[in-house]
Amino acid sequence: MTQIIDRRLNGKNKSVVNRQRFIKRFRGQIKKAVDKALNERSITDIERGEKIDIPNKDISEPIFHHGKGGRREIVQPGNKEFITGDTLPKPQGGQGEGQGQGQASNQGEGEDSFVFELSRDEFLEFFFEDLALPDLIKTQLAQIMDYKSVRAGYTKYGVPSNININRTMRGALARRIAVRGPYKRRLEEIEVELESLDAYNPIHAAQRDKLETEKAILQRKLARIPFIDEFDLRYNNRIRQPKPITQAVMFCLMDVSGSMTQARKDMAKRFFSLLYLFLNRNYEHIDVVFIRHHTTATEVDENEFFYSRESGGTVVSSALELMQKIMQERYSTSEWNIYAAQASDGDNWDDDSGNCREILAKKILPFTQYYAYIEITGRDGQKLWQEYETLSQQQEHFCMRRIEDPADIYPVFRELFKRREAA
């Protein structure tokens, strides 16, 4: 979710709850403005941000205060024009307060709406915020492909940037106490012995010299004990811990037959461009398989999928058979979340539409998490649409929508991939 940072200083009488309500209302206004902008622009404008205009009344925090109107008594100091007991008329509100409708005024002041610019990334963050692939974790995946770094105690070896100061100083203090202990105890004993000897008695002179020599040796040993030794150093230890990730694959099936006019192909490409952008921004590990078809289907790369000029007749089942073959060979249904999006104008070989429904119902839909079909046409549903419509009534994870012009792309895309609550 996009984070909004409130950099205003905390003032008295402004509670955290009010701040949270303000940010919630602010986010709602931005989301509303983004949705409005999406309905007014084409998908080719996705490379730019958007100017957001929020009314001034929606960016101020609520406060309790005396409103306009009512009977109020106010004590004014008076001046040469007014004296005690004079009644002052209320100031006239409405027009001329700096905003709103009406004629210009020669008095009053106000504030304009708050206008700011969302960058392209910020705009897309809001756009994709409530979209998600349905049932992504419905299939439990065990394959481990990623690692995360986690703390694992302390170690004696490492790089200077990982030194743990507290643990190192604690070790140094313990070492100094342990090493200095015997020397200090002997020094205390020597001090006691020296005090017991008579300083002027020549008999004790030899004993005193011996004790003084030993005392000096002990003091030098104490002085040589380092404050921090290499033995004391401790480093934060971090290990790489396997991190299970979900695996998903998206099949993109596009009809490039001769019945697909250039305008329809452009709309299909825009839909898949939006889908590809959505997948790349929201998911780190997801495979995308591109399939183009007319009478025959071919798996192609991203560049050929969007820019190839090949065309021909229409046999939609060729794409479905190729998809089912790729699923069997490379994407085991026990290890992968499988999704598909298909775009076509609905024109198909007469006897093939029923075959498409059979392939989907028996060989593909039982193994996929979600299948989205968009038909790009301004006509009534053809045979393929009718067959698919029967299928959509039986399979909850099969959704189909119709696109007639470029303005339908954004709403249809959001409807197909709107985040759904887990069942």
Side-chain angles (χ1 to χ4, degrees), residues 369-371 391-399 420 423:
Q369 301 296 105
Y370 186 66
Y371 195 105
L391 198 59
S392 70
Q393 295 172 357
Q394 302 169 351
Q395 304 284 347
E396 292 183 356
H397 61 295
F398 180 85
C399 292
R420 293 167 172 78

Side-chain angles (χ1 to χ4, degrees), residues 13-258:
N13 303 327
K14 294 182 179 180
S15 65
V16 175
V17 177
N18 277 345
R19 285 290 178 96
Q20 292 174 343
R21 288 174 179 166
F22 167 78
I23 291 177
K24 183 179 179 181
R25 191 168 68 249
F26 195 79
R27 178 189 295 278
Q29 286 289 351
I30 296 176
K31 195 79 175 72
K32 185 178 178 182
V34 169
D35 291 341
K36 182 181 177 183
L38 289 173
N39 293 329
E40 296 176 350
R41 65 162 64 177
S42 69
I43 196 171
T44 54
D45 294 335
I46 202 167
E47 291 296 329
R48 64 178 173 85
E50 180 62 33
K51 182 178 289 184
I52 304 297
D53 187 346
I54 299 179
N56 186 51
K57 64 181 178 62
D58 290 327
I59 60 174
S60 58
E61 294 185 43
I63 57 173
F64 288 101
H65 62 91
H66 291 291
K68 296 180 180 179
R71 291 181 61 87
R72 287 185 292 170
E73 293 185 357
I74 301 175
V75 178
Q76 302 288 357
N79 53 30
K80 64 181 180 180
E81 186 177 354
F82 299 102
I83 61 174
T84 306
D86 285 347
T87 302
L88 303 181
K90 289 182 182 177
Q92 297 297 320
Q95 298 177 354
E97 293 294 330
Q99 59 180 345
Q101 303 296 324
Q103 298 177 349
S105 172
N106 60 355
Q107 60 183 358
E109 58 182 14
E111 294 181 358
D112 292 330
S113 298
F114 182 51
V115 181
F116 63 98
E117 191 90 17
L118 283 182
S119 67
R120 173 180 175 271
D121 287 339
E122 292 169 338
F123 181 80
L124 292 176
E125 283 288 339
F126 275 98
F127 176 66
F128 291 129
E129 188 177 74
D130 53 355
L131 302 182
L133 291 176
D135 295 333
L136 182 61
I137 57 174
K138 188 173 181 179
T139 301
Q140 298 297 324
L141 303 169
Q143 184 171 353
I144 297 172
M145 297 179 61
D146 199 5
Y147 294 87
K148 62 179 180 180
S149 179
V150 297
R151 296 191 61 174
Y154 307 96
T155 179
K156 296 181 179 179
Y157 309 99
V159 296
S161 60
N162 285 340
I163 287 181
N164 187 290
I165 302 298
N166 291 336
R167 183 67 61 162
T168 297
M169 296 305 295
R170 188 186 304 174
L173 178 61
R175 177 186 50 78
R176 292 199 306 273
I177 292 174
V179 175
R180 291 162 62 96
Y183 297 152
K184 295 189 73 173
R185 284 195 296 272
R186 180 54 186 157
L187 278 175
E188 291 173 358
E189 292 173 357
I190 291 174
E191 292 291 343
V192 172
E193 291 181 25
L194 286 174
E195 290 178 359
S196 64
L197 296 177
D198 187 355
Y200 302 101
N201 190 341
I203 299 176
H204 296 160
Q207 181 67 15
R208 287 184 58 82
D209 291 342
K210 181 181 178 182
L211 291 174
E212 289 290 351
T213 302
E214 185 180 1
K215 178 181 177 181
I217 293 173
L218 290 175
Q219 288 175 336
R220 286 196 297 272
K221 287 183 177 180
L222 284 173
R224 286 199 295 268
I225 296 175
F227 185 76
I228 293 180
D229 190 82
E230 188 176 353
F231 175 81
D232 306 321
L233 295 178
R234 292 293 182 273
Y235 300 85
N236 293 324
N237 188 29
R238 305 187 74 87
I239 62 173
R240 296 181 68 205
Q241 188 177 77
K243 177 185 176 183
I245 61 173
T246 56
Q247 292 182 120
V249 56
M250 172 66 75
F251 286 88
C252 298
L253 289 69
M254 182 165 66
D255 183 356
V256 292
S257 62

Side-chain angles (χ1 to χ4, degrees), residues 296-360:
T296 59
T298 311
E299 182 183 0
V300 296
D301 59 17
E302 174 188 343
N303 186 61
E304 189 174 355
F305 183 78
F306 287 105
Y307 302 110
S308 176
R309 300 172 61 87
E310 185 183 5
S311 185
T314 311
V315 179
V316 177
S317 62
S318 62
L320 301 178
E321 289 173 348
L322 179 59
M323 174 184 168
Q324 194 261 338
K325 179 182 177 185
I326 295 174
M327 286 169 54
Q328 284 185 332
E329 293 176 351
R330 288 151 43 189
Y331 299 103
S332 169
T333 54
S334 62
E335 298 178 354
W336 289 82
N337 290 289
I338 300 176
Y339 298 87
Q342 179 186 358
S344 172
D345 63 347
D347 281 346
N348 193 17
W349 187 253
D350 290 341
D351 299 331
D352 190 55
S353 296
N355 192 27
C356 293
R357 179 177 54 78
E358 288 293 323
I359 295 173
L360 278 175

Side-chain angles (χ1 to χ4, degrees), residues 3-20:
Q3 296 294 324
I4 297 177
I5 300 175
D6 187 356
R7 298 187 185 281
R8 295 171 302 167
L9 298 177
N10 288 323
K12 59 182 180 181
N13 303 327
K14 294 182 179 180
S15 65
V16 175
V17 177
N18 277 345
R19 285 290 178 96
Q20 292 174 343

